[in-house]
Amino acid sequence: PPLDEPVAATSLGYVSGDLCLDLAYDEDSAAEVDFNVVMTGSDQFVEIQGTAEGRTFDRDQFDGLLDLAKTGIESMLEAQNKALADHA
């Protein structure tokens, strides 16, 4: 069934040891670990896709990735809602 709520996606990963959100192409291509996360407005996951490109990662780092993805996606969903409200 089609989704009946907002959806947003982001990329993130570890670049030079730092956890980064919304990776630009140069960051994505240099990332040691990179993920794409898609979530709904009710905090449900649509997709989680990740790869250890240059090093492995542990469960705490994975949890940190998901927490940062959620924060970024919540920000995008707020912006989407504001844009829709401004044009309603």
Side-chain angles (χ1 to χ4, degrees):
L3 294 171
D4 58 359
E5 62 182 311
V7 175
T10 192
S11 61
L12 65 157
Y14 285 94
V15 180
S16 300
D18 295 323
L19 184 52
C20 301
L21 179 65
D22 193 21
L23 301 178
Y25 175 78
D26 59 326
E27 293 169 320
D28 185 62
S29 62
E32 297 105 14
V33 175
D34 73 291
F35 272 75
N36 297 311
V37 178
V38 184
M39 294 179 71
T40 67
S42 62
D43 293 337
Q44 298 293 302
F45 291 102
V46 175
E47 179 181 12
I48 301 172
Q49 180 183 28
T51 305
E53 300 279 353
R55 67 173 176 94
T56 59
F57 57 95
D58 62 27
R59 177 61 184 262
D60 288 339
Q61 291 168 322
F62 178 66
D63 290 343
L65 284 158
L66 292 182
D67 289 344
L68 183 59
K70 182 176 186 274
T71 299
I73 288 171
E74 285 173 345
S75 177
M76 285 186 273
L77 291 171
E78 286 176 22
Q80 286 178 11
N81 288 334
K82 183 180 180 332
L84 290 172
D86 289 348
H87 290 89

